[in-house]
Amino acid sequence: MKSNCLHLAIPAGDLEVAKKFYCGVFGCKTGNSEEGRWVDIDFWGNELTLHQSEEKLPNVRHKVDMGAVAVPHFGIHLPDDEFQALKARIEAAGLEYLDKPYRRFVGSEYEQETFFIEDPNGNVLEMKTMVNPELMFK
């Protein structure tokens, strides 16, 4: 893992259910953990710490070009082949999207495909693939 990775800790509800989602569907791996309390997930090279919890994060919707998106949310930018494979795993698992896959900025240099999905505890993830990822911070 790179030393400058992002660390994010979230309430995960039932850890076993959350691990099945992140590892079984998303294809992530587990790392360090404290049995029954928390587990680190290798979220594409970033440290996502899932905490056993009763609570959920609140969310609201904010308007953007594609409609109203759930906030807070987090996610990752993936190469297109990994993004399409993730969509196939989500569909094979019979999960429903919070916001179905959508192409944004069509025809522009910032064109991308994105979708939103909730984990088992209601945490919202936005997964993306960009046609020109090198322009993300241009």
Side-chain angles (χ1 to χ4, degrees):
M1 182 182 296
K2 57 189 176 189
S3 63
N4 62 341
C5 71
L6 174 73
H7 166 68
L8 176 65
I10 59 172
D14 184 302
L15 279 182
E16 291 308 310
V17 172
K19 283 195 299 190
K20 287 179 186 172
F21 175 82
Y22 285 97
C23 297
V25 177
F26 273 41
C28 299
K29 296 176 185 161
T30 59
N32 193 18
S33 67
E34 186 176 332
E35 188 64 36
R37 300 196 53 166
W38 57 268
V39 62
D40 287 337
I41 299 294
D42 180 350
F43 192 74
W44 288 275
N46 296 286
E47 181 188 33
L48 175 61
T49 304
L50 305 175
H51 285 264
Q52 177 77 31
S53 67
E54 296 295 322
E55 64 278 349
K56 295 181 178 190
L57 293 176
N59 69 57
V60 296
R61 293 259 179 181
H62 287 221
K63 291 186 181 208
V64 296
D65 64 293
M66 61 184 272
V69 299
V71 175
H73 66 261
F74 67 97
I76 199 86
H77 287 258
L78 295 171
D80 190 60
D81 60 335
E82 290 183 44
F83 182 84
Q84 299 306 329
L86 176 58
K87 284 188 349 186
R89 288 194 307 274
I90 287 168
E91 290 161 16
L95 300 176
E96 291 187 30
Y97 294 104
L98 181 62
D99 295 317
K100 293 181 181 182
Y102 176 81
R103 289 201 79 81
R104 300 176 73 187
F105 315 119
V106 175
S108 83
E109 61 186 349
Y110 299 106
E111 185 171 341
Q112 60 189 261
E113 185 176 356
T114 183
F115 67 80
F116 288 78
I117 191 165
E118 289 181 306
D119 77 4
N121 199 47
N123 296 300
V124 178
L125 295 96
E126 179 183 15
M127 308 305 283
K128 294 182 177 188
T129 186
M130 295 182 71
V131 172
N132 300 301
E134 68 278 4
L135 299 178
M136 187 181 326
F137 294 112
K138 178 182 172 199

